[in-house]
């Protein structure tokens, strides 16, 4: 029975990763390089003749190279893992893309779309978390491991981004496996010394490889853990040097040949280019700066999400004599990494995501201490009750954030709407996609591939897509004559005769509903016109309508009896207009 309970709790992680992918299937600009590169490898293959000409003709990265080159190792791995499924299942869609008559990605998933590419990445990260969980169970017991899963699964950022093709989440899985290899240092004498040394060396090799290939900031994390192992005399200088040299050789042996080939620059080490651009030249500050304390006062509370993890559980683990040494062992090198990295002016939560499993594990130690003593005193009973309530509340908040985040991809929704309404209406359709549309979901996975067998004689359309960003071209009237449709944030920029076919709304913050005002869900007489209703119908086709009606009743009761008419809702505003050319109209 205990094993069944442990397994059921552990399954929360992969299930929630898949749920987040299901509800929010599109990608944003930060993920674009890796998702486009994966698409190109799967769709066009890897050339071995006329390589440069072939890459320029078919691959996206040479047309939109970005500020610095990125590694192809992640896309190559995803494409390779996807290929057997693509080969076995004809017509499989490698990212959850497409729309039904209601233009819903979720219904497309339910019909037969396969979340292949992102699901592979998401499950890779999920099972890395579970592997780390097993290390915690071995070191601290199953109660601590279960609290670790409950805390980690409730953290929105990890579950939501686990399947997203950010470089940080290619690195996250490997860094989490490396932290698992460091768990012998947390159990002290429970493992033979030779076994512990092997695990430490493995961790240093993995951190070195991932720092060389995916994210250079992990070199700082590597340095902090190396210093901690050396300080505590767990590794000799010889072990450290040999591990570092091995990891460096593996990393360079992977990234330099692969990326030199795809970028057609020899030799090329992308992470070195990024390090020079962002750190030595200080160009990352162009994307904004934050104060030194940002990670500690803003990022950590949002990442951990459950306030009791950092207000109660971590302090509990650090102050109990039986837990203190091991808690410090897990915290010190990771917190030092964050402190050192805080010297970098440009800060984003994803730059420190690698330490979150360790912080969550320390919180789980404190939670387990409280939970196992809940019958011994009134204080522990109150704290245990608070843990249960805050954990349930965190899951509710996380799912609410998921619902809001699913509204952040108007570009993808606009292109799917256009495909659903215009495909088959003409033999050839040309569409211009503006910058905001590309930044909010439009990828090559969404495009109808002209390489597929889509004969126009069978009622299909040859779709041509343009993503021109050059302002000089955009100001030329003749430029716009070639398009039948335009996806535009600002329709006035499209020169010539155009009519608005449809408008896609997007999330624009939180809105306060005052007493006497009607909430957005009540404004439309037809509930099927609201995004919340369509989402629930997609998730639960048979009971979605009932769930929606129940939610409206809860809202009415809460406003009438609890909040005195006040309410909070997502603020939705028009973001993308689908424009249709009128040049052929009479």
């Amino acid at each position: 029975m205990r094993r069944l309970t442990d397994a059921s709790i552990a399954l929360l992680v992969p299930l929630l990763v898949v749920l987040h992918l299901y509800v929010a299937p599109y990608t944003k600009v930060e993920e674009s390089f890796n998702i486009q590169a994966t698409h190109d490898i799967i769709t066009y293959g890897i050339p071995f003749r006329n390589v440069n000409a072939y890459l320029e003709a078919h691959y996206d990265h040479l047309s939109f190279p970005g500020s610095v080159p990125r590694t192809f190792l992640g896309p190559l791995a995803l494409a390779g893992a996807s290929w057997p499924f693509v080969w076995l299942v004809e017509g499989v869609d490698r990212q959850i893309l497409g729309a039904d008559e209601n233009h819903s990605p979720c219904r497309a998933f339910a019909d037969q779309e396969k979340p292949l590419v992102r699901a592979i990445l998401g499950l890779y990260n999920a099972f890395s978390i579970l592997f780390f969980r097993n290390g915690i169970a071995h070191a601290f017991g199953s109660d601590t491991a279960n609290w670790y899963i409950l805390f980690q699964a409730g953290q929105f950022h990890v579950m939501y981004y686990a399947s997203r093709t950010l470089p940080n989440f290619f690195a996250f899985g490997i860094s989490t496996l490396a932290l698992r290899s460091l768990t012998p240092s947390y159990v002290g004498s429970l493992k033979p010394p030779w076994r512990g040394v092997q695990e430490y060396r493995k961790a240093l090799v993995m951190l070195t490889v991932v720092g060389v290939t995916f994210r250079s900031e992990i070199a700082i994390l590597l340095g902090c853990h190396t210093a901690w192992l050396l300080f505590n005399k767990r590794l000799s200088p010889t072990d450290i040097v040999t591990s570092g040299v091995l990891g460096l050789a593996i990393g360079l042996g992977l990234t330099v040949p692969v990326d030199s080939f795809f970028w057609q620059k020899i030799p090329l080490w992308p992470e070195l280019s990024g390090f020079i651009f962002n750190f030595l030249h200080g160009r990352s500050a162009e994307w904004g700066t934050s104060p030194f304390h940002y990670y500690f006062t803003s990022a950590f509370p949002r990442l951990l999400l459950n306030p009791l993890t950092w207000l109660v559980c971590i302090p509990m683990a650090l102050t109990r004599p039986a837990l203190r040494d091991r808690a410090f062992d897990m915290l010190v090198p990771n917190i030092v990494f964050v402190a050192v990295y805080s010297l970098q002016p440009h800060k984003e939560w994803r730059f420190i995501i690698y330490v979150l499993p360790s912080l969550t594990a320390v919180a789980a130690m404190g939670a387990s201490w409280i939970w196992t003593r809940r019958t011994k005193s009134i204080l522990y009973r109150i704290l245990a009750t608070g843990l249960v309530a805050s954990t349930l509340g965190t899951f509710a908040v996380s799912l609410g954030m998921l619902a809001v985040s699913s509204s952040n991809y108007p570009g993808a929704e606009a292109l799917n709407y256009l495909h659903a309404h215009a495909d088959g209406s003409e033999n050839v359709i040309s569409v211009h996609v503006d910058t905001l549309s590309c930044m909010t979901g439009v990828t090559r996975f969404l495009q109808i591939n002209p390489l597929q067998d889509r004969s126009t004689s069978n009622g299909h359309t040859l779709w041509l897509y343009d993503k021109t960003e050059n302002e000089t071209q955009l100001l030329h009237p003749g430029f716009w004559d070639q398009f039948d449709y335009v996806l535009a944030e600002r329709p006035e920029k499209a020169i010539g005769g155009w009519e608005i076919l449809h408008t896609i709304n997007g999330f624009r913050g939180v809105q306060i509903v005052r007493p006497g005002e009607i909430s957005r869900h009540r404004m439309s007489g037809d509930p099927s016109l609201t995004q919340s209703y369509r989402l629930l119908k997609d998730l639960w086709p048979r009971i979605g309508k009932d769930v929606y009606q129940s939610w409206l009743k809860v809202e009415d009761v809460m406003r009438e009896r609890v909040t005195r008419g006040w309410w909070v809702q997502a603020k939705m505003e028009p973001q993308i207009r689908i424009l249709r050319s009128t040049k052929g109209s009479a």
Side-chain angles (χ1 to χ4, degrees):
M1 185 64 183
R2 180 58 186 261
R3 289 186 177 182
L4 179 62
T5 300
D6 294 347
S8 300
I9 292 174
L11 281 175
L12 280 173
V13 172
L15 289 176
L16 283 170
V17 168
V18 171
L19 175 65
H20 283 68
L21 169 57
Y22 179 96
V23 174
Y26 301 123
T27 56
K28 277 197 169 183
V29 63
E30 297 89 350
E31 309 154 56
S32 63
F33 168 77
N34 285 307
I35 200 69
Q36 306 280 41
T38 304
H39 167 276
D40 293 344
I41 295 171
I42 293 174
T43 303
Y44 303 115
I46 300 174
F48 295 99
R49 296 181 180 179
N50 301 318
V51 174
N52 190 65
Y54 190 89
L55 292 176
E56 287 185 351
H58 295 95
Y59 275 57
D60 184 79
H61 69 288
L62 295 180
S63 300
F64 302 93
S67 302
V68 292
R70 300 287 183 87
T71 183
F72 265 81
L73 289 176
L76 193 61
L78 283 184
S82 304
W83 182 84
F85 299 97
V86 176
W87 181 74
L88 287 171
V89 184
E90 183 179 358
V92 70
D93 192 343
R94 280 85 65 186
Q95 192 187 7
I96 310 177
L97 299 170
D100 69 344
E101 66 276 9
N102 291 325
H103 328 301
S104 168
C106 294
R107 191 181 301 278
F109 177 96
D111 289 340
Q112 55 188 319
E113 303 294 329
K114 305 297 182 181
L116 192 51
V117 167
R118 284 186 49 202
I120 288 171
L121 177 61
L123 292 177
Y124 147 76
N125 281 316
F127 286 107
S128 295
I129 290 172
L130 294 184
F131 193 68
F132 182 81
R133 177 258 176 217
N134 291 341
I136 297 302
H138 177 76
F140 308 115
S142 58
D143 283 335
T144 301
N146 288 338
W147 277 108
Y148 165 75
I149 290 294
L150 291 173
F151 287 157
Q152 191 87 81
Q155 293 166 359
F156 167 76
H157 290 82
V158 174
M159 297 298 104
Y160 185 77
Y161 285 91
S163 67
R164 298 192 168 272
T165 54
L166 291 164
N168 311 79
F169 281 88
F170 284 102
F172 177 81
I174 302 175
S175 66
T176 303
L177 294 176
L179 293 177
R180 165 63 178 87
S181 290
L182 288 171
T183 51
S185 67
Y186 311 142
V187 297
S189 60
L190 294 182
K191 280 183 178 283
W194 68 268
R195 173 69 174 174
V197 169
Q198 293 299 107
E199 291 296 318
Y200 303 147
R201 294 184 62 181
K202 185 194 301 183
L204 298 189
V205 170
M206 285 191 285
L207 289 175
T208 303
V209 170
V210 76
V212 167
T213 55
F214 288 113
R215 293 298 306 183
S216 58
E217 69 265 15
I218 291 182
I220 303 174
L221 181 64
L222 168 67
C224 294
H225 277 282
T226 300
W228 186 252
L229 292 172
L230 190 61
F231 175 77
N232 287 284
K233 299 181 180 179
R234 294 180 181 138
L235 279 184
S236 68
T238 301
D239 291 325
I240 290 170
V241 171
T242 54
S243 300
V245 169
L246 178 60
L248 183 64
I250 294 172
L252 290 178
L254 290 171
T255 188
V256 173
V258 169
D259 295 311
S260 297
F261 173 84
F262 280 104
W263 288 97
Q264 289 294 286
K265 297 178 181 178
I266 302 174
L268 177 65
W269 179 6
E271 276 310 296
L272 178 60
S273 301
F275 175 80
I276 293 172
F277 181 87
N278 290 314
F279 288 89
L280 299 186
H281 294 167
R283 298 289 298 277
S284 63
E286 296 174 4
W287 281 266
T289 61
S290 301
F292 177 84
H293 57 78
Y294 168 81
Y295 288 133
F296 296 98
T297 59
S298 180
F300 275 155
R302 287 186 291 117
L303 291 173
L304 291 167
L305 199 56
N306 188 334
L308 292 191
T309 56
W310 49 278
L311 289 175
V312 174
C313 295
I314 291 178
M316 180 69 71
L318 293 174
T319 55
R320 302 300 96 183
L323 303 178
R324 184 186 302 131
D325 290 344
R326 293 184 293 176
F328 271 101
D329 209 22
M330 296 188 77
L331 278 181
V332 170
N334 293 295
I335 293 299
V336 171
F337 157 70
V338 176
V340 172
Y341 201 65
S342 294
L343 298 174
Q344 174 72 1
H346 177 63
K347 299 177 177 65
E348 296 183 38
W349 62 264
R350 58 191 177 96
F351 296 159
I352 61 164
I353 193 68
Y354 325 108
V355 307
L356 201 57
S358 294
L359 268 64
T360 305
V362 174
M365 292 166 60
S368 178
W369 181 273
I370 293 169
W371 184 252
T372 55
R373 288 161 178 78
R374 64 188 183 279
T375 61
K376 294 185 176 181
S377 73
I378 186 65
L379 177 60
Y380 281 124
R381 192 173 302 129
I382 292 172
L383 290 176
T385 303
L387 279 176
V388 173
S390 65
T391 301
L392 293 174
T394 298
F395 276 102
V397 170
S398 182
L399 292 175
M401 294 171 71
L402 170 61
V404 168
S405 297
S406 67
S407 304
N408 276 329
Y409 304 91
E413 293 182 17
L415 189 56
N416 275 339
Y417 182 98
L418 180 58
H419 285 157
H421 282 75
D423 192 33
S425 63
E426 302 287 345
N427 287 340
V428 180
I429 292 179
S430 179
V431 55
H432 172 73
V433 183
D434 77 346
T435 300
L436 182 62
S437 299
C438 291
M439 294 175 66
T440 57
V442 173
T443 71
R444 287 190 166 193
F445 275 106
L446 267 182
Q447 297 175 8
I448 297 176
N449 183 9
L451 293 185
Q452 295 172 351
D453 183 14
R454 298 177 58 85
S455 171
T456 56
S457 63
N458 292 327
H460 292 301
T461 297
L462 174 62
W463 286 83
L464 304 176
Y465 304 90
D466 175 81
K467 301 176 183 178
T468 299
E469 298 176 345
N470 186 285
E471 289 294 334
T472 302
Q473 288 183 263
L474 296 176
L475 291 174
H476 195 284
F479 170 80
W480 299 94
D481 292 340
Q482 61 184 305
F483 302 117
D484 302 294
Y485 294 91
V486 172
L487 306 187
E489 176 188 15
R490 298 173 60 186
E492 65 273 12
K493 284 192 171 186
I495 301 173
W498 301 92
E499 62 178 357
I500 296 178
L501 174 65
H502 190 65
T503 299
I504 303 295
N505 294 328
F507 177 71
R508 284 293 189 181
V510 176
Q511 183 179 17
I512 303 296
V513 182
R514 299 176 180 276
E517 293 180 348
I518 302 175
S519 70
R520 178 168 52 85
H521 296 111
R522 293 288 191 185
M523 286 182 181
S524 173
D526 183 1
S528 65
L529 297 178
T530 66
Q531 184 173 4
S532 300
Y533 177 86
R534 294 200 303 268
L535 178 61
L536 290 171
K537 283 287 289 181
D538 292 330
L539 288 172
W540 300 292
R542 295 184 178 180
I543 64 171
K545 181 179 180 180
D546 294 333
V547 173
Y548 182 79
Q549 295 295 339
S550 299
W551 170 252
L552 292 182
K553 291 179 182 178
V554 170
E555 177 185 324
D556 291 341
V557 171
M558 292 292 292
R559 293 189 70 181
E560 179 182 349
R561 300 183 181 180
V562 179
T563 65
R564 298 184 179 182
W566 294 88
W567 198 243
V568 177
Q569 66 181 12
K571 183 179 181 182
M572 306 294 289
E573 293 182 354
Q575 288 197 14
I576 302 294
R577 281 80 173 178
I578 304 173
L579 307 181
R580 178 168 53 194
S581 174
T582 59
K583 63 178 180 288
S585 303

